[in-house]
Amino acid sequence: MRTERLSCHLGGGRPADGAREHPGCRDGRPPLRSVPVRLPGRLYFALESRVRGGGMAFYDP
């Protein structure tokens, strides 16, 4: 997830390519750190997001 999009989900607002304003979380602070992880399972894309128009990602453990 892009940093700009994540900050809109956390703190509220509308990303540049978004069709909807996000209210934000109760705790809108940014993450303390970002680290890559490898999860077992599959990531696949299907359908189309009505909010941003792109494909939606799904995780199948």
Side-chain angles (χ1 to χ4, degrees):
M1 179 177 283
R2 292 188 331 232
T3 305
E4 179 208 1
R5 181 167 287 281
L6 178 61
S7 67
C8 287
H9 284 288
L10 293 175
R14 180 189 310 229
D17 61 347
R20 188 175 81 187
E21 186 90 11
H22 297 282
C25 298
R26 282 181 266 169
D27 181 354
R29 293 179 291 179
L32 295 176
R33 62 189 176 124
S34 176
V35 296
V37 296
R38 185 176 294 257
L39 300 172
R42 298 181 323 157
L43 179 67
Y44 63 96
F45 298 88
L47 306 173
E48 186 173 325
S49 169
R50 285 182 257 154
V51 175
R52 64 179 199 93
M56 294 187 294
F58 296 91
Y59 172 66
D60 180 11

